[in-house]
Amino acid sequence: MRIAIFSDNFYPELSGISDSIIALSRELIKKGHYVDFYVPMYTKGDYEAANVAFKEIDLGDHVQVIRFYSFPYKTGTGHGRFVIPTGLRTATVFKFHPDVIHTQLFFGVGLEAIMAARMLVRPVIGTNHTALKEYLKYSFIQNESFKKGLLKYMNWYYERCELVTAPSQSVFDEMVTLGFKNVKSRVISNPLDTALFHPMDDKPALKKKFGFNDTTIIHAGRLAEERSPEVLVRALTYVKKEVPGAMLAFAGSGSSMVLLQELAKALHVADSVKFMGYVSKTELNEAYNASEVFAISSTSDTQSMVMMQAMASGIPIVGVNARALPEYVNAGNGFIVPPNDEKAMAEKLIYLLKNPGVAQKLGAGARTYAEQFSEPKIADQWEAIYASVIKSYNERYHRT
């Protein structure tokens, strides 16, 4: 199959969406398929901010990356890009002659996907990764009528698709409340690199490498308002009353980092909060293994790949009861607490730090649970989805 993947978010921007579709493409080409990416163009500064070389990512001989001219757009990563849709880029897609078009987001590049699908008469599959209400705060227009219109547009967009997928049921629940209807839908996890993210043996050496102690809590990913990282800093103040040596490590960066640093100073825990900045995935796996527990307070995540990676690395989770998190955190791998409740978050963190045997058992459960979402298993599901959608679409249009 020839698969065209459109996304408004891609390498080098720090993003679970980017990571998941890159991982999927690698598995698809192993199966003999061809993939073209249609994505925004980023600046040299964006590559430098991500601590990667200013060159195109190499995904193999059967993968091409086609970049569309873009403009900077404020998001939680600080490196968002916006592509103005024109429909003129369809000629580029036609050269690839895809069997199916898979769109990941519904902004400028996403509209290019819909236009290309109509002009080329190809089926389009839409994946919604986004809790749109959480991201409306980044809109350059804050008028309420505009926001309502954008929500309606999202549903209009996905109703143009043959099939809509999402990494959690929470996405569809929100879409339905906003009027989404008349389209087949399916929950499918993002692919997880369970080979890269795995339990490691030499915990003392890893702790020494990162400057972690024996009561380290870690969080990873974008540090932005919609992910509520300040709840973790506030929770730390309560944790330290019971576990004085506890420390909190943030792997990643984002628009809220300076505010978090100031908050840590104001709460007198700055010496116990470590800001690691961007780290490679190999180092992130090591950092997970050097920690006792992963904490996440986000109310906007539609899955949270960093949380899933932490599970694959074999550490327990304390997450909040918001959106997708309770769909993936269960009694076998961690705890769920109320959102925006630093005391409740602290209570479970204290429990795990004081009961390493329980933490170890939950960490083992987290690893076992994560294995069902490995890249090969999710790629198998996508291969079957693509084939089914292509077949039904071609039968409808009497194509062979």
Side-chain angles (χ1 to χ4, degrees):
M1 287 182 285
R2 304 178 75 83
I3 303 153
I5 300 180
F6 286 69
S7 179
D8 289 273
N9 183 300
F10 196 66
Y11 180 92
E13 188 173 358
L14 179 67
S15 162
I17 297 173
S18 176
D19 289 347
S20 67
I21 59 178
I22 287 172
L24 176 61
S25 72
R26 285 177 170 145
E27 292 299 320
L28 289 171
I29 65 173
K30 290 178 185 178
K31 295 171 172 291
H33 305 299
Y34 294 81
V35 177
D36 267 16
F37 282 109
Y38 300 88
V39 295
M41 187 180 297
Y42 289 79
T43 68
K44 184 177 182 180
D46 293 321
Y47 286 79
E48 291 174 348
N51 198 28
V52 294
F54 182 46
K55 62 180 182 180
E56 191 57 84
I57 184 172
D58 183 4
L59 297 174
D61 293 338
H62 288 187
V63 179
Q64 291 188 90
V65 179
I66 294 89
R67 301 276 183 175
F68 296 158
Y69 185 80
S70 65
F71 298 91
Y73 181 71
K74 181 183 177 183
T75 64
T77 67
H79 303 285
R81 308 293 298 181
F82 181 75
V83 171
I84 296 177
T86 65
L88 301 176
R89 302 178 178 97
T90 300
T92 303
V93 187
F94 186 79
K95 292 178 182 178
F96 179 52
H97 200 67
D99 298 301
V100 63
I101 291 174
H102 187 180
T103 174
Q104 306 296 319
L105 286 165
F106 45 87
F107 301 112
V109 176
L111 273 175
E112 290 284 356
I114 295 293
M115 289 186 284
R118 294 297 178 265
M119 293 180 187
L120 302 179
V121 194
R122 293 294 186 274
V124 57
I125 297 172
T127 295
N128 189 0
H129 301 266
T130 307
L132 184 61
K133 284 186 175 180
E134 296 290 339
Y135 290 90
L136 284 175
K137 61 176 67 74
Y138 292 114
S139 171
F140 53 86
I141 300 176
Q142 288 297 312
N143 178 276
E144 286 302 315
S145 295
F146 174 81
K147 291 181 179 180
K148 290 179 181 179
L150 188 57
L151 293 171
K152 289 182 179 179
Y153 159 74
M154 177 187 72
N155 284 341
W156 172 89
Y157 180 89
Y158 283 111
E159 286 170 3
R160 311 272 80 75
C161 301
E162 297 293 310
L163 172 72
V164 180
T165 74
S168 64
Q169 183 59 41
S170 68
V171 175
F172 292 124
D173 291 344
E174 180 182 60
M175 291 175 72
V176 168
T177 65
L178 298 171
F180 178 68
K181 57 185 178 181
N182 300 329
V183 176
K184 293 180 180 178
S185 60
R186 174 175 172 176
V187 173
I188 178 170
S189 169
N190 290 311
L192 179 59
D193 192 342
T194 53
L196 175 59
F197 292 96
H198 65 281
M200 302 177 70
D201 294 327
D202 202 354
K203 206 174 185 79
L206 293 174
K207 285 185 174 294
K208 183 177 180 180
K209 175 178 179 176
F210 294 107
F212 292 179
N213 62 24
D214 291 332
T215 51
T216 299
I217 304 156
I218 191 169
H219 174 80
R222 184 178 67 258
L223 301 179
E225 180 183 352
E226 70 275 1
R227 305 192 78 242
S228 305
E230 72 281 355
V231 173
L232 301 181
V233 178
R234 295 185 186 280
L236 181 64
T237 64
Y238 293 97
V239 174
K240 289 183 70 65
K241 292 177 182 178
E242 297 289 332
V243 186
M247 67 178 295
L248 172 63
F250 285 109
S253 188
S255 56
S256 292
M257 189 167 74
V258 173
L259 293 176
L260 291 173
Q261 291 171 333
E262 293 174 350
L263 178 62
K265 290 179 182 178
L267 295 176
H268 308 293
V269 292
D271 291 342
S272 299
V273 181
K274 187 178 184 67
F275 292 91
M276 303 173 67
Y278 293 113
V279 296
S280 69
K281 288 183 173 58
T282 298
E283 288 182 315
L284 184 55
N285 177 63
E286 293 174 340
Y288 288 146
N289 276 274
S291 306
E292 277 58 60
V293 58
F294 180 90
I296 178 169
S297 50
S298 173
T299 59
S300 67
D301 279 54
T302 57
Q303 182 172 27
S304 179
M305 289 311 293
V306 288
M307 179 183 75
M308 303 303 292
Q309 292 163 356
M311 287 188 189
S313 298
I315 61 174
I317 309 297
V318 179
V320 299
N321 188 19
R323 296 198 181 271
L325 301 190
E327 295 183 42
Y328 288 96
V329 181
N330 56 57
N333 58 35
F335 296 104
I336 286 291
V337 301
N340 302 309
D341 188 337
E342 55 263 30
K343 291 184 180 179
M345 173 68 69
E347 179 184 344
K348 294 304 182 185
L349 293 173
I350 291 167
Y351 177 74
L352 289 173
L353 293 177
K354 284 189 170 183
N355 294 275
V358 175
Q360 185 175 14
K361 181 178 179 180
L362 290 173
R367 171 63 192 187
T368 300
Y369 178 77
E371 287 172 348
Q372 68 184 297
F373 307 116
S374 69
E375 292 177 350
K377 290 180 180 178
I378 298 301
D380 285 344
Q381 294 182 42
W382 272 113
E383 185 179 44
I385 288 171
Y386 291 143
S388 176
V389 168
I390 292 169
K391 182 175 183 293
S392 62
Y393 187 86
N394 288 344
E395 287 175 350
R396 190 190 322 154
Y397 285 91
H398 306 289
R399 295 169 56 188
T400 58

